[in-house]
């Protein structure tokens, strides 16, 4: 990465968004300490954080609607 990281955002579920010295964005989840993932821009950073949240969610079976 391009040097020092500057924290840009922190979500309620522990995802951190930072900007590196080279002007790029990186994301990291609290569960994956030290592993930063490079993303294209700030909206992509928030989308990556959303994916971290979805990975942790349990998949529940769908209920059938009765007429």
């Amino acid at each position: 990465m391009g040097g020092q990281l500057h924290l840009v955002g922190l979500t309620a579920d522990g995802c951190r968004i930072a900007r590196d010295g080279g002007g790029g964005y990186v994301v990291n989840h609290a569960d994956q300490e030290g592993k930063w993932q490079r993303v294209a821009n700030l909206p992509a950073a928030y989308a990556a954080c959303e994916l971290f949240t979805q990975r942790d969610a349990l998949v529940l079976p769908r209920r059938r609607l009765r007429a």
Side-chain angles (χ1 to χ4, degrees), residues 4-11 15-21 23-28 36 39 41-43 45-46 49:
Q4 195 173 16
L5 297 178
H6 301 281
L7 189 64
V8 174
L10 180 63
T11 64
C15 185
R16 294 174 282 200
I17 301 171
R19 189 169 182 131
D20 68 6
Y25 288 95
V26 292
V27 295
N28 169 272
W36 290 88
V39 292
N41 51 33
L42 189 57
Y46 280 101
C49 283

Side-chain angles (χ1 to χ4, degrees), residues 18-58:
R19 189 169 182 131
D20 68 6
Y25 288 95
V26 292
V27 295
N28 169 272
H29 196 272
D31 294 340
Q32 299 176 347
E33 195 62 41
K35 289 187 174 182
W36 290 88
Q37 177 182 348
R38 180 169 296 283
V39 292
N41 51 33
L42 189 57
Y46 280 101
C49 283
E50 194 67 30
L51 287 176
F52 284 131
T53 303
Q54 289 177 1
R55 287 182 200 152
D56 295 338
L58 295 174

